[in-house]
PDB file of all heavy atoms in Angstrom:
ATOM      1  N   GLU A   1     131.085 108.332  95.444  1.00  0.00           N
ATOM      2  CA  GLU A   1     130.473 109.659  95.243  1.00  0.00           C
ATOM      3  C   GLU A   1     131.607 110.697  94.989  1.00  0.00           C
ATOM      4  O   GLU A   1     131.400 111.642  94.183  1.00  0.00           O
ATOM      5  CB  GLU A   1     129.685 110.038  96.460  1.00  0.00           C
ATOM      6  CG  GLU A   1     128.419 109.176  96.617  1.00  0.00           C
ATOM      7  CD  GLU A   1     127.676 109.420  97.914  1.00  0.00           C
ATOM      8  OE1 GLU A   1     127.847 110.468  98.543  1.00  0.00           O
ATOM      9  OE2 GLU A   1     126.970 108.469  98.362  1.00  0.00           O
ATOM     10  N   ASP A   2     132.721 110.530  95.671  1.00  0.00           N
ATOM     11  CA  ASP A   2     133.818 111.508  95.483  1.00  0.00           C
ATOM     12  C   ASP A   2     134.401 111.388  94.116  1.00  0.00           C
ATOM     13  O   ASP A   2     135.131 112.292  93.672  1.00  0.00           O
ATOM     14  CB  ASP A   2     134.912 111.269  96.530  1.00  0.00           C
ATOM     15  CG  ASP A   2     134.447 111.637  97.948  1.00  0.00           C
ATOM     16  OD1 ASP A   2     133.484 112.420  98.032  1.00  0.00           O
ATOM     17  OD2 ASP A   2     135.090 111.206  98.923  1.00  0.00           O
ATOM     18  N   GLN A   3     134.084 110.284  93.384  1.00  0.00           N
ATOM     19  CA  GLN A   3     134.603 110.057  92.054  1.00  0.00           C
ATOM     20  C   GLN A   3     133.530 110.396  90.989  1.00  0.00           C
ATOM     21  O   GLN A   3     133.724 110.118  89.814  1.00  0.00           O
ATOM     22  CB  GLN A   3     135.112 108.641  91.849  1.00  0.00           C
ATOM     23  CG  GLN A   3     136.291 108.295  92.751  1.00  0.00           C
ATOM     24  CD  GLN A   3     136.703 106.855  92.560  1.00  0.00           C
ATOM     25  OE1 GLN A   3     137.286 106.458  91.561  1.00  0.00           O
ATOM     26  NE2 GLN A   3     136.460 106.022  93.584  1.00  0.00           N
ATOM     27  N   GLY A   4     132.411 110.945  91.493  1.00  0.00           N
ATOM     28  CA  GLY A   4     131.379 111.310  90.554  1.00  0.00           C
ATOM     29  C   GLY A   4     130.468 110.142  90.082  1.00  0.00           C
ATOM     30  O   GLY A   4     129.816 110.181  89.077  1.00  0.00           O
ATOM     31  N   VAL A   5     130.511 109.063  90.857  1.00  0.00           N
ATOM     32  CA  VAL A   5     129.696 107.862  90.551  1.00  0.00           C
ATOM     33  C   VAL A   5     128.586 107.757  91.535  1.00  0.00           C
ATOM     34  O   VAL A   5     128.783 107.872  92.748  1.00  0.00           O
ATOM     35  CB  VAL A   5     130.585 106.602  90.645  1.00  0.00           C
ATOM     36  CG1 VAL A   5     129.781 105.375  90.318  1.00  0.00           C
ATOM     37  CG2 VAL A   5     131.786 106.703  89.670  1.00  0.00           C
ATOM     38  N   GLN A   6     127.361 107.504  90.996  1.00  0.00           N
ATOM     39  CA  GLN A   6     126.195 107.362  91.871  1.00  0.00           C
ATOM     40  C   GLN A   6     126.359 106.102  92.759  1.00  0.00           C
ATOM     41  O   GLN A   6     126.632 105.031  92.303  1.00  0.00           O
ATOM     42  CB  GLN A   6     124.928 107.217  91.079  1.00  0.00           C
ATOM     43  CG  GLN A   6     123.656 107.236  91.885  1.00  0.00           C
ATOM     44  CD  GLN A   6     122.429 107.025  91.098  1.00  0.00           C
ATOM     45  OE1 GLN A   6     122.283 106.046  90.413  1.00  0.00           O
ATOM     46  NE2 GLN A   6     121.522 107.990  91.160  1.00  0.00           N
ATOM     47  N   SER A   7     126.203 106.309  94.032  1.00  0.00           N
ATOM     48  CA  SER A   7     126.414 105.220  95.012  1.00  0.00           C
ATOM     49  C   SER A   7     125.090 104.507  95.282  1.00  0.00           C
ATOM     50  O   SER A   7     124.013 104.986  94.992  1.00  0.00           O
ATOM     51  CB  SER A   7     127.002 105.733  96.305  1.00  0.00           C
ATOM     52  OG  SER A   7     126.036 106.546  96.987  1.00  0.00           O
ATOM     53  N   LEU A   8     125.177 103.389  96.010  1.00  0.00           N
ATOM     54  CA  LEU A   8     123.987 102.722  96.440  1.00  0.00           C
ATOM     55  C   LEU A   8     123.130 103.621  97.349  1.00  0.00           C
ATOM     56  O   LEU A   8     121.894 103.635  97.254  1.00  0.00           O
ATOM     57  CB  LEU A   8     124.381 101.424  97.233  1.00  0.00           C
ATOM     58  CG  LEU A   8     123.251 100.528  97.692  1.00  0.00           C
ATOM     59  CD1 LEU A   8     122.576  99.841  96.506  1.00  0.00           C
ATOM     60  CD2 LEU A   8     123.776  99.475  98.693  1.00  0.00           C
ATOM     61  N   ARG A   9     123.805 104.351  98.220  1.00  0.00           N
ATOM     62  CA  ARG A   9     123.112 105.309  99.114  1.00  0.00           C
ATOM     63  C   ARG A   9     122.271 106.303  98.283  1.00  0.00           C
ATOM     64  O   ARG A   9     121.066 106.498  98.553  1.00  0.00           O
ATOM     65  CB  ARG A   9     124.175 106.071  99.937  1.00  0.00           C
ATOM     66  CG  ARG A   9     123.571 107.061 100.884  1.00  0.00           C
ATOM     67  CD  ARG A   9     124.642 107.944 101.487  1.00  0.00           C
ATOM     68  NE  ARG A   9     125.122 108.994 100.598  1.00  0.00           N
ATOM     69  CZ  ARG A   9     124.539 110.140 100.449  1.00  0.00           C
ATOM     70  NH1 ARG A   9     123.446 110.479 101.085  1.00  0.00           N
ATOM     71  NH2 ARG A   9     125.048 111.028  99.583  1.00  0.00           N
ATOM     72  N   GLN A  10     122.913 106.897  97.297  1.00  0.00           N
ATOM     73  CA  GLN A  10     122.239 107.900  96.467  1.00  0.00           C
ATOM     74  C   GLN A  10     121.091 107.314  95.662  1.00  0.00           C
ATOM     75  O   GLN A  10     120.031 107.945  95.483  1.00  0.00           O
ATOM     76  CB  GLN A  10     123.230 108.633  95.538  1.00  0.00           C
ATOM     77  CG  GLN A  10     124.218 109.495  96.265  1.00  0.00           C
ATOM     78  CD  GLN A  10     125.295 110.016  95.334  1.00  0.00           C
ATOM     79  OE1 GLN A  10     125.824 109.303  94.480  1.00  0.00           O
ATOM     80  NE2 GLN A  10     125.662 111.250  95.492  1.00  0.00           N
ATOM     81  N   ARG A  11     121.310 106.099  95.165  1.00  0.00           N
ATOM     82  CA  ARG A  11     120.272 105.431  94.355  1.00  0.00           C
ATOM     83  C   ARG A  11     119.007 105.217  95.154  1.00  0.00           C
ATOM     84  O   ARG A  11     117.886 105.339  94.615  1.00  0.00           O
ATOM     85  CB  ARG A  11     120.787 104.127  93.786  1.00  0.00           C
ATOM     86  CG  ARG A  11     119.974 103.547  92.696  1.00  0.00           C
ATOM     87  CD  ARG A  11     120.687 102.579  91.790  1.00  0.00           C
ATOM     88  NE  ARG A  11     121.244 101.424  92.521  1.00  0.00           N
ATOM     89  CZ  ARG A  11     122.545 101.225  92.791  1.00  0.00           C
ATOM     90  NH1 ARG A  11     123.421 102.083  92.423  1.00  0.00           N
ATOM     91  NH2 ARG A  11     122.922 100.152  93.428  1.00  0.00           N
ATOM     92  N   HIS A  12     119.153 104.926  96.442  1.00  0.00           N
ATOM     93  CA  HIS A  12     117.976 104.648  97.236  1.00  0.00           C
ATOM     94  C   HIS A  12     117.403 105.909  97.926  1.00  0.00           C
ATOM     95  O   HIS A  12     116.301 105.817  98.479  1.00  0.00           O
ATOM     96  CB  HIS A  12     118.334 103.592  98.291  1.00  0.00           C
ATOM     97  CG  HIS A  12     118.354 102.204  97.738  1.00  0.00           C
ATOM     98  ND1 HIS A  12     117.180 101.452  97.579  1.00  0.00           N
ATOM     99  CD2 HIS A  12     119.348 101.431  97.272  1.00  0.00           C
ATOM    100  CE1 HIS A  12     117.483 100.307  97.034  1.00  0.00           C
ATOM    101  NE2 HIS A  12     118.833 100.234  96.830  1.00  0.00           N
ATOM    102  N   THR A  13     118.062 107.000  97.866  1.00  0.00           N
ATOM    103  CA  THR A  13     117.545 108.246  98.391  1.00  0.00           C
ATOM    104  C   THR A  13     117.004 109.149  97.317  1.00  0.00           C
ATOM    105  O   THR A  13     116.151 110.043  97.580  1.00  0.00           O
ATOM    106  CB  THR A  13     118.548 109.015  99.235  1.00  0.00           C
ATOM    107  OG1 THR A  13     119.722 109.282  98.497  1.00  0.00           O
ATOM    108  CG2 THR A  13     118.918 108.213 100.482  1.00  0.00           C
ATOM    109  N   ALA A  14     117.452 108.973  96.069  1.00  0.00           N
ATOM    110  CA  ALA A  14     117.036 109.860  94.970  1.00  0.00           C
ATOM    111  C   ALA A  14     115.555 109.536  94.620  1.00  0.00           C
ATOM    112  O   ALA A  14     114.846 110.435  94.192  1.00  0.00           O
ATOM    113  CB  ALA A  14     117.939 109.682  93.771  1.00  0.00           C
ATOM    114  N   GLY A  15     115.188 108.258  94.672  1.00  0.00           N
ATOM    115  CA  GLY A  15     113.822 107.920  94.392  1.00  0.00           C
ATOM    116  C   GLY A  15     113.414 107.853  92.909  1.00  0.00           C
ATOM    117  O   GLY A  15     112.282 107.818  92.551  1.00  0.00           O
ATOM    118  N   VAL A  16     114.462 107.759  92.079  1.00  0.00           N
ATOM    119  CA  VAL A  16     114.199 107.718  90.648  1.00  0.00           C
ATOM    120  C   VAL A  16     113.610 106.378  90.234  1.00  0.00           C
ATOM    121  O   VAL A  16     112.637 106.280  89.453  1.00  0.00           O
ATOM    122  CB  VAL A  16     115.480 108.011  89.821  1.00  0.00           C
ATOM    123  CG1 VAL A  16     115.249 107.794  88.317  1.00  0.00           C
ATOM    124  CG2 VAL A  16     115.924 109.450  90.117  1.00  0.00           C
ATOM    125  N   ILE A  17     114.196 105.319  90.788  1.00  0.00           N
ATOM    126  CA  ILE A  17     113.700 103.986  90.431  1.00  0.00           C
ATOM    127  C   ILE A  17     112.614 103.566  91.466  1.00  0.00           C
ATOM    128  O   ILE A  17     112.677 103.928  92.634  1.00  0.00           O
ATOM    129  CB  ILE A  17     114.883 102.946  90.458  1.00  0.00           C
ATOM    130  CG1 ILE A  17     115.649 102.982  91.785  1.00  0.00           C
ATOM    131  CG2 ILE A  17     115.802 103.174  89.272  1.00  0.00           C
ATOM    132  CD1 ILE A  17     116.714 101.935  91.904  1.00  0.00           C
ATOM    133  N   PRO A  18     111.615 102.830  90.989  1.00  0.00           N
ATOM    134  CA  PRO A  18     110.492 102.480  91.861  1.00  0.00           C
ATOM    135  C   PRO A  18     110.923 101.728  93.120  1.00  0.00           C
ATOM    136  O   PRO A  18     110.330 101.904  94.203  1.00  0.00           O
ATOM    137  CB  PRO A  18     109.585 101.644  91.008  1.00  0.00           C
ATOM    138  CG  PRO A  18     109.942 102.035  89.609  1.00  0.00           C
ATOM    139  CD  PRO A  18     111.381 102.401  89.590  1.00  0.00           C
ATOM    140  N   GLU A  19     111.965 100.841  92.969  1.00  0.00           N
ATOM    141  CA  GLU A  19     112.382 100.009  94.131  1.00  0.00           C
ATOM    142  C   GLU A  19     113.311 100.761  95.074  1.00  0.00           C
ATOM    143  O   GLU A  19     113.812 100.212  96.045  1.00  0.00           O
ATOM    144  CB  GLU A  19     113.024  98.788  93.646  1.00  0.00           C
ATOM    145  CG  GLU A  19     114.322  98.925  92.886  1.00  0.00           C
ATOM    146  CD  GLU A  19     114.119  99.066  91.333  1.00  0.00           C
ATOM    147  OE1 GLU A  19     112.988  99.449  90.937  1.00  0.00           O
ATOM    148  OE2 GLU A  19     115.039  98.727  90.622  1.00  0.00           O
ATOM    149  N   ALA A  20     113.591 102.055  94.860  1.00  0.00           N
ATOM    150  CA  ALA A  20     114.376 102.822  95.799  1.00  0.00           C
ATOM    151  C   ALA A  20     113.702 102.766  97.184  1.00  0.00           C
ATOM    152  O   ALA A  20     112.491 102.887  97.317  1.00  0.00           O
ATOM    153  CB  ALA A  20     114.523 104.258  95.356  1.00  0.00           C
ATOM    154  N   ARG A  21     114.518 102.611  98.205  1.00  0.00           N
ATOM    155  CA  ARG A  21     113.881 102.433  99.583  1.00  0.00           C
ATOM    156  C   ARG A  21     113.103 103.638 100.022  1.00  0.00           C
ATOM    157  O   ARG A  21     112.189 103.593 100.834  1.00  0.00           O
ATOM    158  CB  ARG A  21     114.983 102.056 100.588  1.00  0.00           C
ATOM    159  CG  ARG A  21     115.593 100.674 100.291  1.00  0.00           C
ATOM    160  CD  ARG A  21     116.322 100.140 101.509  1.00  0.00           C
ATOM    161  NE  ARG A  21     117.049  98.927 101.180  1.00  0.00           N
ATOM    162  CZ  ARG A  21     117.629  98.175 102.050  1.00  0.00           C
ATOM    163  NH1 ARG A  21     117.650  98.513 103.347  1.00  0.00           N
ATOM    164  NH2 ARG A  21     118.273  97.042 101.694  1.00  0.00           N
ATOM    165  N   ILE A  22     113.492 104.806  99.541  1.00  0.00           N
ATOM    166  CA  ILE A  22     112.760 106.023  99.933  1.00  0.00           C
ATOM    167  C   ILE A  22     111.344 105.997  99.371  1.00  0.00           C
ATOM    168  O   ILE A  22     110.437 106.645  99.914  1.00  0.00           O
ATOM    169  CB  ILE A  22     113.519 107.286  99.479  1.00  0.00           C
ATOM    170  CG1 ILE A  22     113.042 108.491 100.313  1.00  0.00           C
ATOM    171  CG2 ILE A  22     113.366 107.508  98.002  1.00  0.00           C
ATOM    172  CD1 ILE A  22     113.978 109.674 100.223  1.00  0.00           C
ATOM    173  N   ASN A  23     111.207 105.287  98.270  1.00  0.00           N
ATOM    174  CA  ASN A  23     109.820 105.060  97.722  1.00  0.00           C
ATOM    175  C   ASN A  23     109.091 103.962  98.419  1.00  0.00           C
ATOM    176  O   ASN A  23     107.869 104.047  98.631  1.00  0.00           O
ATOM    177  CB  ASN A  23     109.898 104.755  96.211  1.00  0.00           C
ATOM    178  CG  ASN A  23     110.426 105.891  95.399  1.00  0.00           C
ATOM    179  OD1 ASN A  23     110.243 107.023  95.764  1.00  0.00           O
ATOM    180  ND2 ASN A  23     111.099 105.596  94.276  1.00  0.00           N
ATOM    181  N   LEU A  24     109.805 102.887  98.754  1.00  0.00           N
ATOM    182  CA  LEU A  24     109.156 101.710  99.366  1.00  0.00           C
ATOM    183  C   LEU A  24     108.767 102.011 100.847  1.00  0.00           C
ATOM    184  O   LEU A  24     107.759 101.517 101.305  1.00  0.00           O
ATOM    185  CB  LEU A  24     110.076 100.512  99.306  1.00  0.00           C
ATOM    186  CG  LEU A  24     110.475  99.964  97.948  1.00  0.00           C
ATOM    187  CD1 LEU A  24     111.436  98.807  98.087  1.00  0.00           C
ATOM    188  CD2 LEU A  24     109.274  99.472  97.211  1.00  0.00           C
ATOM    189  N   TYR A  25     109.605 102.773 101.539  1.00  0.00           N
ATOM    190  CA  TYR A  25     109.402 102.959 102.982  1.00  0.00           C
ATOM    191  C   TYR A  25     109.508 104.463 103.299  1.00  0.00           C
ATOM    192  O   TYR A  25     110.404 104.904 104.058  1.00  0.00           O
ATOM    193  CB  TYR A  25     110.448 102.215 103.780  1.00  0.00           C
ATOM    194  CG  TYR A  25     110.656 100.796 103.245  1.00  0.00           C
ATOM    195  CD1 TYR A  25     111.940 100.409 102.792  1.00  0.00           C
ATOM    196  CD2 TYR A  25     109.651  99.864 103.183  1.00  0.00           C
ATOM    197  CE1 TYR A  25     112.158  99.106 102.303  1.00  0.00           C
ATOM    198  CE2 TYR A  25     109.856  98.529 102.703  1.00  0.00           C
ATOM    199  CZ  TYR A  25     111.118  98.191 102.289  1.00  0.00           C
ATOM    200  OH  TYR A  25     111.335  96.940 101.769  1.00  0.00           O
ATOM    201  N   PRO A  26     108.599 105.256 102.800  1.00  0.00           N
ATOM    202  CA  PRO A  26     108.711 106.731 103.015  1.00  0.00           C
ATOM    203  C   PRO A  26     108.547 107.155 104.469  1.00  0.00           C
ATOM    204  O   PRO A  26     108.984 108.260 104.881  1.00  0.00           O
ATOM    205  CB  PRO A  26     107.537 107.301 102.142  1.00  0.00           C
ATOM    206  CG  PRO A  26     106.601 106.165 102.021  1.00  0.00           C
ATOM    207  CD  PRO A  26     107.434 104.909 101.989  1.00  0.00           C
ATOM    208  N   ASP A  27     107.959 106.326 105.271  1.00  0.00           N
ATOM    209  CA  ASP A  27     107.761 106.658 106.702  1.00  0.00           C
ATOM    210  C   ASP A  27     108.728 105.948 107.606  1.00  0.00           C
ATOM    211  O   ASP A  27     108.455 105.820 108.828  1.00  0.00           O
ATOM    212  CB  ASP A  27     106.315 106.246 107.108  1.00  0.00           C
ATOM    213  CG  ASP A  27     105.288 106.917 106.213  1.00  0.00           C
ATOM    214  OD1 ASP A  27     105.499 108.105 105.857  1.00  0.00           O
ATOM    215  OD2 ASP A  27     104.239 106.318 105.908  1.00  0.00           O
ATOM    216  N   ALA A  28     109.833 105.524 107.092  1.00  0.00           N
ATOM    217  CA  ALA A  28     110.781 104.686 107.859  1.00  0.00           C
ATOM    218  C   ALA A  28     111.225 105.378 109.164  1.00  0.00           C
ATOM    219  O   ALA A  28     111.397 104.704 110.264  1.00  0.00           O
ATOM    220  CB  ALA A  28     111.970 104.319 107.033  1.00  0.00           C
ATOM    221  N   LEU A  29     111.411 106.666 109.116  1.00  0.00           N
ATOM    222  CA  LEU A  29     111.972 107.404 110.268  1.00  0.00           C
ATOM    223  C   LEU A  29     110.947 107.616 111.368  1.00  0.00           C
ATOM    224  O   LEU A  29     111.304 107.982 112.479  1.00  0.00           O
ATOM    225  CB  LEU A  29     112.546 108.759 109.847  1.00  0.00           C
ATOM    226  CG  LEU A  29     113.749 108.686 108.940  1.00  0.00           C
ATOM    227  CD1 LEU A  29     114.302 110.133 108.703  1.00  0.00           C
ATOM    228  CD2 LEU A  29     114.871 107.805 109.460  1.00  0.00           C
ATOM    229  N   ASP A  30     109.705 107.319 111.091  1.00  0.00           N
ATOM    230  CA  ASP A  30     108.638 107.575 112.082  1.00  0.00           C
ATOM    231  C   ASP A  30     108.871 106.666 113.319  1.00  0.00           C
ATOM    232  O   ASP A  30     108.440 107.026 114.456  1.00  0.00           O
ATOM    233  CB  ASP A  30     107.276 107.281 111.487  1.00  0.00           C
ATOM    234  CG  ASP A  30     106.880 108.328 110.442  1.00  0.00           C
ATOM    235  OD1 ASP A  30     107.589 109.289 110.294  1.00  0.00           O
ATOM    236  OD2 ASP A  30     105.842 108.128 109.799  1.00  0.00           O
ATOM    237  N   ALA A  31     109.461 105.542 113.128  1.00  0.00           N
ATOM    238  CA  ALA A  31     109.677 104.588 114.238  1.00  0.00           C
ATOM    239  C   ALA A  31     110.957 104.799 114.980  1.00  0.00           C
ATOM    240  O   ALA A  31     111.308 104.091 115.968  1.00  0.00           O
ATOM    241  CB  ALA A  31     109.631 103.155 113.671  1.00  0.00           C
ATOM    242  N   LEU A  32     111.742 105.790 114.582  1.00  0.00           N
ATOM    243  CA  LEU A  32     113.063 106.045 115.239  1.00  0.00           C
ATOM    244  C   LEU A  32     112.893 106.709 116.611  1.00  0.00           C
ATOM    245  O   LEU A  32     112.172 107.712 116.769  1.00  0.00           O
ATOM    246  CB  LEU A  32     113.884 106.954 114.316  1.00  0.00           C
ATOM    247  CG  LEU A  32     115.314 107.240 114.811  1.00  0.00           C
ATOM    248  CD1 LEU A  32     116.163 106.005 114.777  1.00  0.00           C
ATOM    249  CD2 LEU A  32     115.940 108.372 113.912  1.00  0.00           C
ATOM    250  N   ASP A  33     113.533 106.163 117.606  1.00  0.00           N
ATOM    251  CA  ASP A  33     113.439 106.691 118.959  1.00  0.00           C
ATOM    252  C   ASP A  33     114.559 107.727 119.157  1.00  0.00           C
ATOM    253  O   ASP A  33     115.485 107.818 118.341  1.00  0.00           O
ATOM    254  CB  ASP A  33     113.585 105.570 119.980  1.00  0.00           C
ATOM    255  CG  ASP A  33     112.858 105.889 121.295  1.00  0.00           C
ATOM    256  OD1 ASP A  33     112.718 107.073 121.588  1.00  0.00           O
ATOM    257  OD2 ASP A  33     112.496 104.951 122.016  1.00  0.00           O
ATOM    258  N   GLU A  34     114.452 108.440 120.259  1.00  0.00           N
ATOM    259  CA  GLU A  34     115.445 109.531 120.588  1.00  0.00           C
ATOM    260  C   GLU A  34     116.834 108.934 120.734  1.00  0.00           C
ATOM    261  O   GLU A  34     117.824 109.648 120.504  1.00  0.00           O
ATOM    262  CB  GLU A  34     115.050 110.290 121.811  1.00  0.00           C
ATOM    263  CG  GLU A  34     113.776 111.103 121.620  1.00  0.00           C
ATOM    264  CD  GLU A  34     113.420 111.904 122.842  1.00  0.00           C
ATOM    265  OE1 GLU A  34     114.157 111.736 123.850  1.00  0.00           O
ATOM    266  OE2 GLU A  34     112.430 112.711 122.829  1.00  0.00           O
ATOM    267  N   ASP A  35     116.965 107.694 121.188  1.00  0.00           N
ATOM    268  CA  ASP A  35     118.278 107.112 121.350  1.00  0.00           C
ATOM    269  C   ASP A  35     118.760 106.345 120.113  1.00  0.00           C
ATOM    270  O   ASP A  35     119.735 105.572 120.147  1.00  0.00           O
ATOM    271  CB  ASP A  35     118.316 106.184 122.535  1.00  0.00           C
ATOM    272  CG  ASP A  35     117.381 105.026 122.423  1.00  0.00           C
ATOM    273  OD1 ASP A  35     116.609 104.969 121.427  1.00  0.00           O
ATOM    274  OD2 ASP A  35     117.345 104.109 123.291  1.00  0.00           O
TER     275      ASP A  35
END
């Protein structure tokens, strides 16, 4: 990312491609506990 290249992290949070995890699992954080 510091070199201006899209990273794996960005690819899965941008949601441009259908298989991006943010598209597949939009409610992923719902199961996160306080710890």
Side-chain angles (χ1 to χ4, degrees):
E1 293 171 24
D2 290 343
Q3 297 178 72
V5 178
Q6 186 183 59
S7 68
L8 184 70
R9 179 190 77 86
Q10 291 174 318
R11 193 157 61 251
H12 281 277
T13 55
V16 174
I17 54 176
E19 64 270 24
R21 293 197 188 188
I22 200 165
N23 294 331
L24 296 177
Y25 317 118
D27 302 323
L29 295 186
D30 291 354
L32 183 68
D33 208 334
E34 291 181 358
D35 62 354

